[in-house]
mmCIF file of all heavy atoms in Angstrom:
data_model
loop_
_atom_site.group_PDB
_atom_site.id
_atom_site.type_symbol
_atom_site.label_atom_id
_atom_site.label_comp_id
_atom_site.label_asym_id
_atom_site.label_seq_id
_atom_site.Cartn_x
_atom_site.Cartn_y
_atom_site.Cartn_z
ATOM 1 N N ALA A 629 -22.385 -75.690 -62.695
ATOM 2 C CA ALA A 629 -21.437 -76.800 -62.869
ATOM 3 C C ALA A 629 -21.994 -78.086 -62.269
ATOM 4 O O ALA A 629 -21.838 -79.171 -62.846
ATOM 5 C CB ALA A 629 -20.101 -76.447 -62.227
ATOM 6 N N LEU A 630 -22.652 -78.009 -61.119
ATOM 7 C CA LEU A 630 -23.253 -79.200 -60.502
ATOM 8 C C LEU A 630 -24.344 -79.783 -61.389
ATOM 9 O O LEU A 630 -24.453 -81.005 -61.551
ATOM 10 C CB LEU A 630 -23.832 -78.850 -59.121
ATOM 11 C CG LEU A 630 -22.847 -78.518 -58.005
ATOM 12 C CD1 LEU A 630 -23.609 -78.227 -56.714
ATOM 13 C CD2 LEU A 630 -21.854 -79.655 -57.780
ATOM 14 N N ILE A 631 -25.167 -78.905 -61.959
ATOM 15 C CA ILE A 631 -26.232 -79.353 -62.864
ATOM 16 C C ILE A 631 -25.631 -80.032 -64.082
ATOM 17 O O ILE A 631 -26.066 -81.111 -64.505
ATOM 18 C CB ILE A 631 -27.102 -78.151 -63.303
ATOM 19 C CG1 ILE A 631 -28.052 -77.742 -62.166
ATOM 20 C CG2 ILE A 631 -27.890 -78.470 -64.563
ATOM 21 C CD1 ILE A 631 -29.275 -78.597 -62.013
ATOM 22 N N GLU A 632 -24.617 -79.422 -64.668
ATOM 23 C CA GLU A 632 -24.006 -79.944 -65.889
ATOM 24 C C GLU A 632 -23.350 -81.303 -65.650
ATOM 25 O O GLU A 632 -23.388 -82.179 -66.507
ATOM 26 C CB GLU A 632 -22.974 -78.941 -66.416
ATOM 27 C CG GLU A 632 -22.577 -79.190 -67.846
ATOM 28 C CD GLU A 632 -21.758 -78.044 -68.404
ATOM 29 O OE1 GLU A 632 -20.536 -78.024 -68.157
ATOM 30 O OE2 GLU A 632 -22.328 -77.175 -69.080
ATOM 31 N N ARG A 633 -22.752 -81.485 -64.470
ATOM 32 C CA ARG A 633 -22.108 -82.762 -64.151
ATOM 33 C C ARG A 633 -23.107 -83.830 -63.729
ATOM 34 O O ARG A 633 -22.726 -84.999 -63.601
ATOM 35 C CB ARG A 633 -21.087 -82.562 -63.019
ATOM 36 C CG ARG A 633 -19.929 -81.658 -63.352
ATOM 37 C CD ARG A 633 -18.754 -81.888 -62.406
ATOM 38 N NE ARG A 633 -19.128 -81.749 -61.011
ATOM 39 C CZ ARG A 633 -18.829 -80.692 -60.251
ATOM 40 N NH1 ARG A 633 -18.190 -79.663 -60.788
ATOM 41 N NH2 ARG A 633 -19.163 -80.662 -58.980
ATOM 42 N N GLY A 634 -24.348 -83.433 -63.475
ATOM 43 C CA GLY A 634 -25.347 -84.396 -63.034
ATOM 44 C C GLY A 634 -25.278 -84.702 -61.551
ATOM 45 O O GLY A 634 -25.884 -85.675 -61.084
ATOM 46 N N ASP A 635 -24.563 -83.873 -60.780
ATOM 47 C CA ASP A 635 -24.462 -84.094 -59.340
ATOM 48 C C ASP A 635 -25.772 -83.789 -58.630
ATOM 49 O O ASP A 635 -26.042 -84.316 -57.548
ATOM 50 C CB ASP A 635 -23.344 -83.238 -58.743
ATOM 51 C CG ASP A 635 -21.964 -83.693 -59.205
ATOM 52 O OD1 ASP A 635 -21.872 -84.806 -59.762
ATOM 53 O OD2 ASP A 635 -20.987 -82.953 -59.005
ATOM 54 N N VAL A 636 -26.559 -82.885 -59.192
ATOM 55 C CA VAL A 636 -27.899 -82.582 -58.683
ATOM 56 C C VAL A 636 -28.843 -82.533 -59.872
ATOM 57 O O VAL A 636 -28.408 -82.398 -61.019
ATOM 58 C CB VAL A 636 -27.940 -81.239 -57.913
ATOM 59 C CG1 VAL A 636 -27.084 -81.302 -56.657
ATOM 60 C CG2 VAL A 636 -27.502 -80.092 -58.811
ATOM 61 N N SER A 637 -30.128 -82.647 -59.591
ATOM 62 C CA SER A 637 -31.099 -82.668 -60.691
ATOM 63 C C SER A 637 -31.838 -81.349 -60.858
ATOM 64 O O SER A 637 -32.500 -81.129 -61.864
ATOM 65 C CB SER A 637 -32.127 -83.785 -60.465
ATOM 66 O OG SER A 637 -32.812 -83.596 -59.245
ATOM 67 N N ARG A 638 -31.738 -80.447 -59.874
ATOM 68 C CA ARG A 638 -32.475 -79.188 -59.950
ATOM 69 C C ARG A 638 -31.642 -78.034 -59.413
ATOM 70 O O ARG A 638 -30.801 -78.208 -58.545
ATOM 71 C CB ARG A 638 -33.765 -79.260 -59.120
ATOM 72 C CG ARG A 638 -34.854 -80.141 -59.711
ATOM 73 C CD ARG A 638 -36.112 -80.011 -58.864
ATOM 74 N NE ARG A 638 -35.887 -80.474 -57.497
ATOM 75 C CZ ARG A 638 -36.679 -80.170 -56.467
ATOM 76 N NH1 ARG A 638 -37.715 -79.381 -56.640
ATOM 77 N NH2 ARG A 638 -36.421 -80.653 -55.261
ATOM 78 N N LEU A 639 -31.929 -76.858 -59.946
ATOM 79 C CA LEU A 639 -31.352 -75.618 -59.447
ATOM 80 C C LEU A 639 -32.507 -74.717 -59.032
ATOM 81 O O LEU A 639 -33.403 -74.434 -59.827
ATOM 82 C CB LEU A 639 -30.510 -74.943 -60.535
ATOM 83 C CG LEU A 639 -30.114 -73.478 -60.311
ATOM 84 C CD1 LEU A 639 -29.371 -73.303 -59.001
ATOM 85 C CD2 LEU A 639 -29.283 -72.958 -61.474
ATOM 86 N N ILE A 640 -32.500 -74.288 -57.779
ATOM 87 C CA ILE A 640 -33.571 -73.444 -57.264
ATOM 88 C C ILE A 640 -32.987 -72.108 -56.852
ATOM 89 O O ILE A 640 -32.053 -72.035 -56.047
ATOM 90 C CB ILE A 640 -34.285 -74.116 -56.071
ATOM 91 C CG1 ILE A 640 -34.886 -75.446 -56.519
ATOM 92 C CG2 ILE A 640 -35.355 -73.205 -55.485
ATOM 93 C CD1 ILE A 640 -35.463 -76.281 -55.407
ATOM 94 N N LEU A 641 -33.513 -71.030 -57.441
ATOM 95 C CA LEU A 641 -33.066 -69.671 -57.166
ATOM 96 C C LEU A 641 -34.116 -68.968 -56.320
ATOM 97 O O LEU A 641 -35.293 -68.961 -56.667
ATOM 98 C CB LEU A 641 -32.864 -68.895 -58.470
ATOM 99 C CG LEU A 641 -31.965 -69.544 -59.524
ATOM 100 C CD1 LEU A 641 -32.015 -68.741 -60.811
ATOM 101 C CD2 LEU A 641 -30.539 -69.655 -59.021
ATOM 102 N N SER A 642 -33.687 -68.359 -55.224
ATOM 103 C CA SER A 642 -34.644 -67.705 -54.339
ATOM 104 C C SER A 642 -34.036 -66.443 -53.758
ATOM 105 O O SER A 642 -32.810 -66.335 -53.629
ATOM 106 C CB SER A 642 -35.050 -68.661 -53.208
ATOM 107 O OG SER A 642 -36.033 -68.077 -52.381
ATOM 108 N N ARG A 643 -34.899 -65.509 -53.406
ATOM 109 C CA ARG A 643 -34.479 -64.318 -52.675
ATOM 110 C C ARG A 643 -35.710 -63.600 -52.164
ATOM 111 O O ARG A 643 -36.810 -63.785 -52.706
ATOM 112 C CB ARG A 643 -33.621 -63.384 -53.517
ATOM 113 C CG ARG A 643 -34.319 -62.787 -54.699
ATOM 114 C CD ARG A 643 -33.481 -61.733 -55.385
ATOM 115 N NE ARG A 643 -33.402 -60.492 -54.623
ATOM 116 C CZ ARG A 643 -32.747 -59.408 -55.037
ATOM 117 N NH1 ARG A 643 -32.093 -59.426 -56.172
ATOM 118 N NH2 ARG A 643 -32.736 -58.312 -54.322
ATOM 119 N N PRO A 644 -35.567 -62.804 -51.117
ATOM 120 C CA PRO A 644 -36.707 -61.980 -50.690
ATOM 121 C C PRO A 644 -37.018 -60.980 -51.794
ATOM 122 O O PRO A 644 -36.151 -60.219 -52.212
ATOM 123 C CB PRO A 644 -36.196 -61.268 -49.425
ATOM 124 C CG PRO A 644 -34.964 -62.012 -49.024
ATOM 125 C CD PRO A 644 -34.389 -62.585 -50.268
ATOM 126 N N ALA A 645 -38.236 -61.007 -52.303
ATOM 127 C CA ALA A 645 -38.572 -60.172 -53.458
ATOM 128 C C ALA A 645 -38.817 -58.727 -53.077
ATOM 129 O O ALA A 645 -38.595 -57.819 -53.864
ATOM 130 C CB ALA A 645 -39.807 -60.728 -54.159
ATOM 131 N N VAL A 646 -39.280 -58.488 -51.874
ATOM 132 C CA VAL A 646 -39.516 -57.125 -51.400
ATOM 133 C C VAL A 646 -39.059 -57.043 -49.968
ATOM 134 O O VAL A 646 -38.902 -58.048 -49.289
ATOM 135 C CB VAL A 646 -41.012 -56.729 -51.500
ATOM 136 C CG1 VAL A 646 -41.434 -56.613 -52.942
ATOM 137 C CG2 VAL A 646 -41.894 -57.717 -50.768
ATOM 138 N N GLU A 647 -38.820 -55.829 -49.494
ATOM 139 C CA GLU A 647 -38.263 -55.687 -48.156
ATOM 140 C C GLU A 647 -39.242 -56.150 -47.096
ATOM 141 O O GLU A 647 -40.451 -55.979 -47.221
ATOM 142 C CB GLU A 647 -37.856 -54.237 -47.897
ATOM 143 C CG GLU A 647 -39.000 -53.250 -47.902
ATOM 144 C CD GLU A 647 -38.533 -51.841 -47.599
ATOM 145 O OE1 GLU A 647 -37.324 -51.611 -47.551
ATOM 146 O OE2 GLU A 647 -39.391 -50.986 -47.404
ATOM 147 N N ALA A 648 -38.701 -56.750 -46.056
ATOM 148 C CA ALA A 648 -39.415 -57.200 -44.858
ATOM 149 C C ALA A 648 -40.392 -58.325 -45.133
ATOM 150 O O ALA A 648 -40.379 -59.334 -44.455
ATOM 151 C CB ALA A 648 -40.119 -56.039 -44.170
ATOM 152 N N GLY A 649 -41.266 -58.192 -46.127
ATOM 153 C CA GLY A 649 -42.211 -59.253 -46.435
ATOM 154 C C GLY A 649 -42.104 -59.621 -47.890
ATOM 155 O O GLY A 649 -41.152 -59.275 -48.554
ATOM 156 N N GLU A 650 -43.107 -60.304 -48.416
ATOM 157 C CA GLU A 650 -43.055 -60.704 -49.814
ATOM 158 C C GLU A 650 -44.412 -60.444 -50.450
ATOM 159 O O GLU A 650 -45.094 -61.350 -50.892
ATOM 160 C CB GLU A 650 -42.645 -62.177 -49.920
ATOM 161 C CG GLU A 650 -41.324 -62.437 -49.218
ATOM 162 C CD GLU A 650 -40.494 -63.490 -49.891
ATOM 163 O OE1 GLU A 650 -41.018 -64.178 -50.774
ATOM 164 O OE2 GLU A 650 -39.326 -63.625 -49.542
ATOM 165 N N ARG A 651 -44.828 -59.183 -50.473
ATOM 166 C CA ARG A 651 -46.140 -58.812 -50.981
ATOM 167 C C ARG A 651 -46.054 -58.637 -52.496
ATOM 168 O O ARG A 651 -45.763 -57.569 -52.989
ATOM 169 C CB ARG A 651 -46.615 -57.526 -50.310
ATOM 170 C CG ARG A 651 -46.649 -57.648 -48.786
ATOM 171 C CD ARG A 651 -47.005 -56.306 -48.143
ATOM 172 N NE ARG A 651 -46.980 -56.414 -46.700
ATOM 173 C CZ ARG A 651 -45.914 -56.249 -45.940
ATOM 174 N NH1 ARG A 651 -44.744 -56.001 -46.501
ATOM 175 N NH2 ARG A 651 -45.994 -56.347 -44.634
#
Side-chain angles (χ1 to χ4, degrees):
L630 291 181
I631 284 281
E632 196 170 83
R633 296 200 305 256
D635 292 346
V636 296
S637 59
R638 288 186 298 162
L639 165 56
I640 300 173
L641 307 173
S642 183
R643 64 172 287 182
V646 292
E647 64 178 9
E650 304 214 348
R651 303 175 182 87

